[in-house]
Amino acid sequence: MGKVEFHEVIVIGAGFGGIGMLNRMKQDGRDVLCLEAGSDVGGVWFWNTYPGARTDSEAWYYCFSVSEELGQEWNWTERYPKQDEVRQYLSYAADKLDVRSNIVFNSKVDKAIYDADRRQWSVSVGDKEYACRFLISAMGILSSVFIPPFPGLDVFEGRVLLTARWPDEKPDFTGRRVGLIGTGATGVQIVPEVSQHADSLTVFQRTANFVIPAQNHDLDDEFRADIKRRYPQIWQKVDRHAFAMPMDVTGRLYRDFTEDQRMEIFEEGWRRGGFRFLFETFDDVMVDPECNQAASEFIRAKIRSIVKDPETAELLSPRDHPYASKRPPAGHGYYEAYNNPKVTLVDIKTNKIERVIPEGLQLEDGSIFEFDDLIIATGFDAFTGALTSVEIRGKSGQTIAEKWAEGAKTLFGVATHDFPNFFMITGPLATFGNVPTTIERNIDWIGDAIKFVRSQSSDAVMEVTEQAEQGWADLAQEVIDTTVLKDGVGANSWILGANIPGKKVAPVAYLGGFHNYVDKLRAEKAPYPSFVLK
Ligand code: NA7
């Protein structure tokens, strides 16, 4: 065995979380190293380079707030920036914050084992050994790719393309027949792009989604200057919003309005686009079934008005789950793409995929679809997958995967019992909303906690109690039960872990509001009553 390389802090992952954490650790004077599996920074924006990939949050808050200079210097070009722009932003941020030299690329962590005698973590990357006092996961909520075990996938004779591992050399679809499995946020972004170039695109849909048009537009100098002027207010608003977006509560409840007024409000929400339809129409869309049903029906009527073929329109209309009980995607000409005669929608809910064959796909009823390329956009083992797929062993020797077999338990998504001095940025049961902002609040908390532990003694450790994390998991479940999110189970919602066969159906995120989450997180401070310090 070679020499063990020790650092006080090791961070795993160099996306938003890793870059932000390195910045904080360096500001605090820590000896910190980041291990990143990819060959560059970016995280989810490094791997997901499929056509049409872009943010569903608006650019001006899908970014760091920590550096004023970054906000003032970076010029976003679109309301919802493309993957490449976000990746360039993160690359710029890594240079600006001067953290690149602390990152070791092409370093996928295989194991992290807690050594109770030494009060240290041993971290392995292949045959290279590291050790640290504080271990921080910045592995991201959507990084563990899920590929359903379709029989015969290996016999397909064409190209199999995974959206989350898209080839560097961009595939050309000109003149090709393409099949696509998956109509989540990723599939919804791909359809309008690939259908422009391919000879034909066959979309295999299991669950129809409520897709709100993003209403994307370019940003001009005036718009950017206005944003830059208002940044302090924007971040204040973000901090007080349930999903960390700079939007005001509307003060409107559905029942207080006439039918005409309701329709006008929904129309205005549709015009504003994206998440504004959810957050700027009525405040009770996610909790009042009547309001939710009206919103759902409004969207179905829009689908019927856009999609010319009534059968396709009906198939695209979700009927098995309420609007926003699954994470709703934003569309960029999604429904319109189905008016292109080259695009065919196939229902695989009632007639499932039987197997992949050399020429394409065979469904249960024996029907065969042939194509040259098969795109797989079947999602992620969200929140837990990145952590459970690495051998991370705590004080008692159990792995995180073993510990969370019956559902993830953490306090605020930042710490889990039995894993001392181990912290997670947006771990399971962290709040769910605009992710870069949650990441920043987690970084603040972890940075302060590390400062505190260090101030106790040179080998102090901090571990959350079982009771505290159980209380948090119970609260996460209670909150879900008061919203339409509980109805996402039947529609395989990844927020409930219901998209992964065999995964315990339980919340993987806290949905009680980002603003409430931040208050609770900030209240858990020195002397950290939910933790034991040794
Ligand atoms: P999602 O939202 O989990 O979507 C995955 C899609 O793949 C969805 O349409 C699934 O249908 C479909 N899927 C999954 N397994 C199968 C099988 N076995 N057969 C057929 N179809 C299947 O992942 P995305 O990557 O689109 O988006 C993830 C997040 O990234 C998104 O929410 C944003 O936050 C960014 P289902 O709906 O389960 O019936």
Side-chain angles (χ1 to χ4, degrees), residues 213-498:
Q215 311 289 17
N216 191 27
H217 56 77
D218 290 344
L219 305 183
D220 58 18
D221 287 343
E222 201 185 323
F223 192 101
R224 279 190 289 264
D226 180 52
I227 291 291
K228 289 178 185 184
R229 241 190 329 270
R230 290 191 296 110
Y231 254 131
Q233 293 96 295
I234 289 175
W235 295 123
Q236 268 173 18
K237 270 193 179 183
V238 162
D239 241 20
R240 294 294 93 208
H241 187 262
F243 287 83
M245 298 185 179
M247 300 175 195
D248 295 314
V249 290
T250 65
R252 287 192 291 256
L253 296 180
Y254 181 75
R255 61 166 177 266
D256 296 337
F257 290 82
T258 65
E259 198 49 34
D260 284 353
Q261 289 169 326
R262 291 165 174 173
M263 285 303 119
E264 251 174 57
I265 291 167
F266 281 138
E267 278 295 347
E268 179 56 22
W270 188 266
R271 258 194 305 277
R272 291 182 181 208
F275 287 118
R276 292 186 185 266
F277 182 84
L278 180 57
F279 299 130
E280 293 189 337
T281 50
F282 296 98
D283 294 336
D284 48 2
V285 179
M286 291 181 78
V287 288
D288 174 17
E290 203 189 332
C291 177
N292 190 286
Q293 277 158 25
S296 303
E297 187 43 44
F298 178 87
I299 300 166
R300 286 191 287 261
K302 282 289 184 193
I303 298 172
R304 291 193 289 274
S305 74
I306 298 169
V307 179
K308 296 198 177 102
D309 174 46
E311 260 181 55
T312 305
E314 181 51 32
L315 198 51
L316 286 166
S317 300
R319 301 254 174 217
D320 53 6
H321 65 285
Y323 166 55
S325 64
K326 279 175 83 115
R327 154 66 160 84
H332 298 260
Y334 178 65
Y335 292 127
E336 290 80 354
Y338 290 92
N339 291 331
N340 180 342
K342 293 192 294 187
V343 181
T344 310
L345 183 65
V346 176
D347 173 28
I348 51 164
K349 180 153 223 151
T350 49
N351 186 16
K352 297 193 181 63
I353 294 172
E354 176 80 19
R355 65 166 62 86
V356 182
I357 54 173
E359 309 79 29
L361 280 184
Q362 184 185 331
L363 305 189
E364 260 176 357
D365 70 352
S367 53
I368 283 174
F369 293 86
E370 294 187 2
F371 32 82
D372 308 306
D373 297 317
L374 175 58
I375 301 179
I376 299 190
T378 44
F380 301 88
D381 186 354
F383 277 96
T384 56
L387 291 144
T388 56
S389 59
V390 177
E391 184 186 342
I392 304 176
R393 285 189 193 277
K395 194 174 72 175
S396 71
Q398 72 175 339
T399 62
I400 273 200
E402 285 160 359
K403 178 179 167 175
W404 292 345
E406 287 307 307
K409 296 226 169 59
T410 71
L411 182 65
F412 310 136
V414 294
T416 189
H417 177 72
D418 198 36
F419 294 78
N421 280 0
F422 171 65
F423 302 107
M424 295 166 285
I425 299 171
T426 61
L429 302 181
T431 191
F432 183 58
N434 180 47
V435 181
T437 316
T438 309
I439 285 173
E440 285 199 316
R441 295 293 84 78
N442 282 184
I443 289 169
D444 297 341
W445 189 91
I446 295 168
D448 290 351
I450 289 179
K451 224 184 218 174
F452 176 73
V453 180
R454 284 184 95 251
S455 74
Q456 301 302 297
S457 73
S458 61
D459 68 348
V461 292
M462 179 176 184
E463 184 187 353
V464 68
T465 66
E466 252 180 313
Q467 193 192 2
E469 67 178 15
Q470 184 62 52
W472 184 247
D474 292 345
L475 182 66
Q477 182 66 60
E478 276 166 36
V479 165
I480 295 262
D481 289 344
T482 62
T483 71
V484 295
L485 288 150
K486 66 178 180 311
D487 303 317
V489 180
N492 317 316
S493 164
W494 59 257
I495 289 173
L496 298 169

Side-chain angles (χ1 to χ4, degrees), residues 44 48 50 54 56 141-142 146-150 163-164 181-189 204-209 275 320-321 326-329 348-349 353 376-380 382 432 435 490-495 498-499 501:
V44 82
N48 287 266
Y50 60 85
R54 57 169 84 234
D56 282 355
I141 64 170
L142 295 162
F146 170 60
I147 307 165
F150 296 119
T163 52
I181 308 176
T183 53
T186 300
V188 162
Q189 290 183 334
F204 296 90
Q205 173 190 276
R206 195 165 66 176
T207 307
N209 255 314
F275 287 118
D320 53 6
H321 65 285
K326 279 175 83 115
R327 154 66 160 84
I348 51 164
K349 180 153 223 151
I353 294 172
I376 299 190
T378 44
F380 301 88
F432 183 58
V435 181
N492 317 316
S493 164
W494 59 257
I495 289 173
N499 63 324

Side-chain angles (χ1 to χ4, degrees), residues 21-49:
M21 196 76 232
L22 284 173
N23 177 49
R24 169 71 197 254
M25 289 295 99
K26 290 188 82 169
Q27 278 176 351
D28 288 354
R30 305 279 94 88
D31 158 32
V32 59
L33 185 79
C34 174
L35 300 170
E36 163 59 50
S39 59
D40 200 352
V41 297
V44 82
W45 299 103
F46 171 84
W47 297 106
N48 287 266
T49 59

